[in-house]
Amino acid sequence: MTAVALTQDEAFARIRLLRSANIGPVSYAQLLHRFGSAVEAVAALPDLAARGAKRNYKPAPREKIEREVEATRKARARYLFHDQPDYPALLAAMEGAPPIVTMRGDIALAAKPCVAMVGARNASAAAVKLARDFARELSEEGFVVVSGLAKGIDGACHEGAMPATIGVIASGIDIAYPPQHAKLQEQIASEALLIAEEAPGTEPRGQQFPKRNRIIAGLAMGTVVVEAAPKSGSLITARLAGEAGREVMAVPGHPADSRSQGCNQLIREGAVLVQSAADIVELLSGFDGQPRSSVQEQGPGWLYNESEPEVSADSVVDLLSTAPVAVDELVRQTGGTHGAVQMALLELEIAGRLQRHAGGRVSLG
């Protein structure tokens, strides 16, 4: 999307739009395309929700957004919008990339070659040392190390790479988590780059960590997993990286150590085995700055033209269940245009009746 100069009113409306109930990255983008501005989109939300069978829908209160903006200012942070020139290009290519983040520090770090490093919170002493050494060596080779400020591997990576590091947190920009890393988080914000998707004041909750993980994977050309148990958050980050066409790397470990089972599983499934920072540098040296496979951006082509036959929200609901289905399948079965079906889905989502899934699939909410 072409970069634009935002007025204060439009920037405020964008934050308000994203903070309104049932608005996610996909519906946010569709609403901006549909109405041309967040000011117009916010005004249209109650009518769209009513068309999806939800009455009395109200956008996020202005007073709440005013308090958020003041809290962001007080935290010495600033907003970064999806179509501003310094929004990281690789992150923008991720499916469901955050339309707005808050940040402290040097955003220019995100434009440099980045590698994500993640791993276990209860990591072994040997793995912590290896992660710190890898991160330091990668920073010396000109890479920026991205991680999630968790205990164990994440913290070691940030410390080793400082100040060539980016911390991505699941809380608001003004909340230190875990508390033991408050000093490290402030150091990253002051000397490197700290990024948060949630509003200031937001305490970390379980569902926010996978969202944080997609940002970690999205910022980087590749993700390295140092030590991880099966079904850990680190494996979610690796999966998201792979789905986005980025490199996935893992450090092998002893099969008897449960903390190595996740890494060994990744290698068995096709991740690249790495045993040194030089292995990582060699693998990423051929990366040209573009994902090996990218998610297609939803442009104006999906939009509903009012001269087209309408597809009602109820007719789409009749085809939906709790099992995710591709939007293209709904287009085929309704006989409507892609834009008309997307418009019906948007109405259902704002009404809280629709859930979106990876790969452009939807289900009943």
Side-chain angles (χ1 to χ4, degrees), residues 57-337:
Y57 179 100
K58 295 181 180 178
R62 291 187 61 89
E63 299 77 16
K64 180 181 178 182
I65 307 306
E66 287 168 355
R67 290 194 298 269
E68 176 184 330
V69 171
E70 179 56 33
T72 301
R73 197 175 289 126
K74 186 177 179 181
R76 293 168 295 158
R78 72 177 180 90
Y79 290 98
L80 182 62
F81 296 87
H82 71 283
D83 52 1
Q84 291 184 314
D86 46 0
Y87 190 97
L90 281 179
L91 179 58
M94 288 290 282
E95 181 179 11
I100 306 171
V101 296
T102 52
M103 50 148 289
R104 287 182 61 194
D106 183 8
I107 190 61
L109 285 171
K112 296 181 178 181
C114 292
V115 57
M117 291 186 67
V118 294
R121 288 175 170 81
N122 63 335
S124 65
V128 168
K129 181 180 186 305
L130 181 143
R132 188 183 296 113
D133 291 346
F134 274 24
R136 186 188 68 253
E137 292 170 36
L138 287 166
S139 69
E140 290 169 353
E141 291 290 335
F143 285 88
V144 173
V145 175
V146 185
S147 199
L149 265 161
K151 293 186 290 185
I153 298 299
D154 289 20
C157 293
H158 290 305
E159 290 167 354
M162 192 72 69
T165 191
I166 300 173
V168 185
I169 54 176
S171 59
I173 197 80
D174 54 347
I175 302 292
Y177 186 84
Q180 301 96 311
H181 279 174
K183 184 177 178 181
L184 176 61
Q185 182 169 315
E186 181 58 33
Q187 184 183 9
I188 290 172
S190 302
E191 301 176 19
L193 176 62
L194 182 69
I195 292 176
E197 181 176 6
E198 304 299 327
T202 304
E203 296 287 346
R205 297 188 298 271
Q207 68 268 30
Q208 289 157 205
F209 286 93
K211 293 171 63 180
R212 175 206 63 173
N213 293 346
R214 90 186 189 289
I215 299 176
I216 293 172
L219 287 165
M221 300 186 293
T223 292
V224 183
V225 183
V226 177
E227 206 174 54
K231 300 181 180 179
S232 66
S234 300
L235 298 197
I236 294 174
T237 308
R239 175 179 58 78
L240 292 167
E243 289 174 354
R246 318 294 169 85
E247 297 289 1
V248 178
M249 297 156 276
V251 177
H254 194 284
D257 188 342
S258 62
R259 291 169 295 195
S260 296
Q261 289 177 7
C263 289
N264 293 344
Q265 176 185 324
L266 284 174
I267 293 167
R268 193 166 60 245
E269 293 172 353
V272 177
L273 185 157
V274 292
Q275 299 181 92
S276 67
D279 290 343
I280 301 168
V281 172
E282 180 183 3
L283 185 63
L284 295 182
S285 61
F287 192 87
D288 62 2
Q290 295 297 319
R292 300 192 190 284
S293 63
S294 60
V295 177
Q296 245 184 346
E297 184 179 350
Q298 282 195 315
W302 78 269
L303 291 178
Y304 173 54
N305 186 321
E306 292 181 0
S307 64
E308 297 174 5
E310 182 179 306
V311 173
S312 72
D314 286 342
S315 68
V316 174
V317 165
D318 290 340
L319 297 173
L320 291 173
S321 70
T322 54
V325 64
V327 173
D328 287 347
E329 183 61 30
L330 297 175
V331 172
R332 278 191 291 271
Q333 294 197 33
T334 60
T337 65

